[in-house]
Amino acid sequence: MNIELDQDGHLCDHTLWTPDIAQQLANTLDVDLGTEHIQILQQVRAFFAKFNHAPATRPLIKWLQKTLPEQDINNQKLQQLFNTGLVARHVNRLAGLPKPPNCL
């Protein structure tokens, strides 16, 4: 499937997101998405739906700790799960959302 991405590799239309598209985007990070990844991405999308913007790292981690308490989320765990130091940038990208405003 051909998906339209912006210059930063984010979906142009976040409403087209599916877990399959997330996996296509995750392939660029050499990440194989499992259940835990998909739960996180769905919560990132819930954050976006509630607050109408993509979360930066701190609000993202606080939101995930609140909404997925059983996963014991922290920055280090997200870096390992998603194989990147740019957690907020790539988690939002894989969730089909725009780049957070404060990301480079």
Side-chain angles (χ1 to χ4, degrees):
M1 181 168 139
N2 200 2
I3 46 178
E4 194 179 347
L5 303 176
D6 68 13
Q7 73 274 12
D8 295 313
H10 293 253
L11 274 184
C12 288
D13 180 355
H14 71 88
T15 63
L16 299 177
W17 185 87
T18 65
D20 288 340
I21 287 174
Q23 183 57 65
Q24 283 182 41
L25 297 171
N27 290 340
T28 65
L29 298 173
D30 291 324
V31 173
D32 193 22
L33 298 180
T35 306
E36 190 173 29
H37 295 93
I38 297 298
Q39 287 176 331
I40 289 168
L41 295 178
Q42 286 171 330
Q43 282 306 321
V44 174
R45 292 180 62 78
F47 180 103
F48 184 83
K50 182 170 183 173
F51 300 108
N52 208 26
H53 65 87
T57 303
R58 273 205 193 103
L60 169 68
I61 290 168
K62 282 188 171 148
W63 175 261
L64 292 173
Q65 287 170 340
K66 189 173 93 177
T67 57
L68 298 169
E70 69 284 356
Q71 290 194 18
D72 197 27
I73 300 284
N74 60 40
N75 195 36
Q76 187 176 10
K77 180 174 180 177
L78 289 176
Q79 287 179 5
Q80 290 168 342
L81 273 172
F82 291 98
N83 197 26
T84 179
L86 302 169
V87 172
R89 165 100 188 258
H90 288 293
V91 171
N92 280 295
R93 189 170 68 84
L94 299 187
L97 300 173
K99 187 168 72 168
N102 60 347
C103 283
L104 301 173

